[in-house]
Amino acid sequence: MTRTLLAAASAVALLALGACGDNQSAGNQTARAGIWAAGSSTVFPFATRVAENYARSSGGAAPRVESLGTGGGIQAFCRGVGPNTPDIANASRQMKASEFELCRANGVTDIVEIKIGYDGLVIATARNAPDYGFEGDDLYLALAKQVPGPDGTFIANPHTTWSQVNPGLPATRIQVYGPPPTSGTRDSWVELAMAPSARSIPALAALAASDKDRFETLAHTLREDGGWIDSGENDNAIVQTLTRTPGSTGAFGYSFLEQNSNLVKAHSVNGVMPTLDTIASGAYPISRSMFIYVKKQHVGVTPGLEQFVMEFMSDAAAGRGGYLQDRGLVPMLAADLAAQQAIARAMTVMTAPTE
């Protein structure tokens, strides 16, 4: 009898989800029982690990987790409500105002924003490479498409080696493999690494105050001549490239450094090395928060969604010494984690972003 009632309840839930509109024709609607999360390649290993634990504890199928990049995951999430759209968007940055409006326009009106912890963006090389110490304007002068030229003009970046940027850096070729424009990691890179480095140059600092749009165009536009190389959404592929390409450098999440510390090493930024403590405290300059966005309209419809989210935010997963720390997530302080757990428990809907 109990099994019969459970089967009936599941069938009702699936029918309810199939009845939800997601801007697709009724003929394309297909019911699904499993949880679906999509988005950031950096959050992907964390979500996958939680999915494994959830499947073991619940006895059901592991949730579907896809690595599409933060932008791709949020786009899929915002397509509408229903079985053909993800329940969760994984993100290595906060949702933008334009994305929130896209969600709302497509009927995704109740979104829960939950911070799961922190990550740092590291600048890494193969372990046998020379040591670098990046300071001030080094990253901008090496990787921006345009740099200051004579008489206040901006010219195509002429630098081909790190030592041309800064005599204290190795005389190796500037060849940095990093995330593509669709990735939240790319957004974080230009905002947390490139823009502060640009502000170290007086002319650009003045421009940031007088013409914000022009400053952002210069600071956020990476070179396209081989100095910066878009390398897809898979950070593990960047790690492998560094081991096969002598002299190359990579930009990716701290979690992948932790998983591949036998192959690659990180370098300091403004005198600070990326560690759990320096990232959590914000002392390491290129650190950021990780998020999951939950479609509240799917809660109570997608079986197990609330339980999966609470597993993600449990002390055993996201807390200090939790199993996600083993995957490279930098945990929040206890009080901050408790606040995010309360949001997850109550499914508190977020307010519209301002930017």
Side-chain angles (χ1 to χ4, degrees), residues 120-346:
L121 297 182
V122 302
I123 309 170
T125 60
R127 291 204 63 85
N128 60 358
D131 290 331
Y132 295 70
F134 300 100
E135 300 277 351
D137 59 12
D138 291 348
L139 296 176
Y140 178 82
L141 292 179
L143 299 173
K145 184 175 182 177
Q146 292 186 305
V147 298
D151 303 322
T153 62
F154 286 87
I155 61 173
N157 195 329
H159 303 126
T160 58
T161 67
W162 288 102
S163 60
Q164 289 174 342
V165 169
N166 181 342
L169 293 173
T172 51
R173 179 183 173 189
I174 298 172
Q175 186 180 18
V176 179
Y177 292 85
T182 55
S183 171
T185 302
R186 170 68 159 265
D187 294 333
S188 297
W189 175 259
V190 296
E191 291 168 8
L192 301 175
M194 294 296 291
S197 183
R199 290 191 185 93
S200 298
I201 301 171
L204 281 160
L207 188 62
S210 64
D211 189 342
K212 181 181 177 183
D213 290 342
R214 174 66 172 152
F215 170 80
E216 287 190 354
T217 297
L218 290 166
H220 291 189
T221 304
L222 298 171
R223 60 195 302 178
E224 300 168 343
D225 58 359
W228 174 275
I229 304 164
D230 289 339
S231 302
E233 298 288 358
N234 186 349
D235 288 357
N236 271 320
I238 299 177
V239 171
Q240 295 302 317
T241 298
L242 299 184
T243 64
R244 298 192 302 263
T245 311
S248 63
T249 309
F252 49 85
Y254 176 79
S255 58
F256 291 91
L257 175 73
E258 286 279 276
Q259 295 167 36
N260 297 279
S261 59
N262 61 319
L263 300 174
V264 294
K265 63 181 179 181
H267 302 280
S268 64
V269 178
N270 293 340
V272 182
M273 290 293 292
T275 66
L276 285 174
D277 290 338
T278 60
I279 292 169
S281 69
Y284 179 67
I286 319 177
S287 54
R288 58 184 177 163
S289 300
M290 305 279 102
F291 299 89
I292 59 174
Y293 290 90
V294 183
K295 195 172 292 178
K296 189 173 182 178
Q297 288 146 292
H298 284 193
V299 172
V301 181
T302 300
L305 180 56
E306 286 177 287
Q307 292 79 7
F308 175 75
V309 171
M310 291 312 301
E311 172 64 24
F312 215 134
M313 298 309 300
S314 67
D315 290 340
R320 283 272 174 173
Y323 61 76
L324 292 183
Q325 184 174 329
D326 293 338
R327 285 284 176 99
L329 182 71
V330 178
M332 291 176 280
L333 298 175
D336 295 333
L337 176 59
Q340 295 302 312
Q341 288 170 333
I343 291 172
R345 192 175 300 109

Side-chain angles (χ1 to χ4, degrees), residues 36-60:
W36 179 10
S40 167
S41 61
T42 306
V43 178
F44 176 78
F46 309 142
T48 301
R49 182 72 171 82
V50 174
E52 293 167 355
N53 265 40
Y54 170 82
R56 279 196 296 268
S57 62
S58 68

Side-chain angles (χ1 to χ4, degrees), residues 55-105:
R56 279 196 296 268
S57 62
S58 68
R64 170 185 172 188
V65 182
E66 291 184 304
S67 177
L68 305 177
T70 294
I74 291 177
Q75 287 289 319
F77 178 86
C78 289
R79 279 205 310 263
V81 176
N84 295 335
T85 64
D87 306 298
I88 295 171
N90 299 327
S92 55
R93 59 161 171 80
Q94 286 189 287
M95 181 179 284
K96 299 175 182 178
S98 59
E99 293 167 334
F100 185 86
E101 288 304 315
L102 175 64
C103 269
R104 189 158 62 178

